[in-house]
Amino acid sequence: QVQLVESGGGLVQAGGSLRLSCAASGSIFSINTMGWYRQAPGKQRELVATVTSGRITNYADSVKGRFTISRDNAKNAVYLQMNSLKPEDTAVYSCYAQVLTSGSNGSKLSRGSWGQGTQVTVFS
């Protein structure tokens, strides 16, 4: 079983910064894509940022220039530095990882894993 645990959420004034962290643990052979998603009340979950094992990044237009995603492969961790926060950024932020795990008879299985989410609230 693979477990993802997020931390770093909280309450912050508009214009401030937060840094989210996510660490994966369990039967991990390797991790391909890692990323962050968010869901605000009454809205659908949306992609915030992703980063591949090759360090290719992708950002939602709404966060470009303000958020930075990074990863530490040795620690199976992904981070999201959030600057110039806006009230519109308020949401539950969840960590995602595409994990290659052990299968039967030495085979490998690719699985998507989600963290429990961390609340980010930005007030004006």
Side-chain angles (χ1 to χ4, degrees), residues 4-10 18-23 36 78-80 82 93-95 115-120:
L4 274 58
V5 179
E6 305 102 328
S7 63
L18 285 174
R19 184 173 185 264
L20 305 183
S21 300
C22 173
W36 292 92
V78 63
Y79 310 94
L80 186 68
M82 305 186 293
Y93 286 70
S94 298
C95 176
Q116 79 284 358
T118 184
Q119 177 70 47
V120 172

Side-chain angles (χ1 to χ4, degrees), residues 5-53:
V5 179
E6 305 102 328
S7 63
L11 181 67
V12 64
Q13 186 174 357
S17 299
L18 285 174
R19 184 173 185 264
L20 305 183
S21 300
C22 173
S25 61
S27 301
I28 301 171
F29 181 81
S30 64
I31 302 177
N32 187 6
T33 300
M34 302 188 79
W36 292 92
Y37 295 74
R38 67 186 182 187
Q39 186 169 24
K43 297 183 179 180
Q44 294 184 337
R45 183 171 59 193
E46 65 175 343
L47 182 148
V48 178
T50 59
V51 56
T52 69
S53 60

Side-chain angles (χ1 to χ4, degrees), residues 35-107:
W36 292 92
Y37 295 74
R38 67 186 182 187
Q39 186 169 24
K43 297 183 179 180
Q44 294 184 337
R45 183 171 59 193
E46 65 175 343
L47 182 148
V48 178
T50 59
V51 56
T52 69
S53 60
R55 299 294 198 275
I56 303 298
T57 59
N58 182 45
Y59 296 92
D61 288 340
S62 60
V63 307
K64 287 182 179 178
R66 299 188 297 120
F67 292 9
T68 302
I69 190 170
S70 61
R71 65 188 289 169
D72 186 336
N73 292 335
K75 298 180 179 180
N76 290 326
V78 63
Y79 310 94
L80 186 68
Q81 179 66 46
M82 305 186 293
N83 298 326
S84 302
L85 283 162
K86 305 175 181 179
E88 305 91 271
D89 296 318
T90 295
V92 174
Y93 286 70
S94 298
C95 176
Y96 173 84
Q98 190 68 27
V99 183
L100 192 64
T101 62
S102 298
S104 301
N105 303 117
S107 61

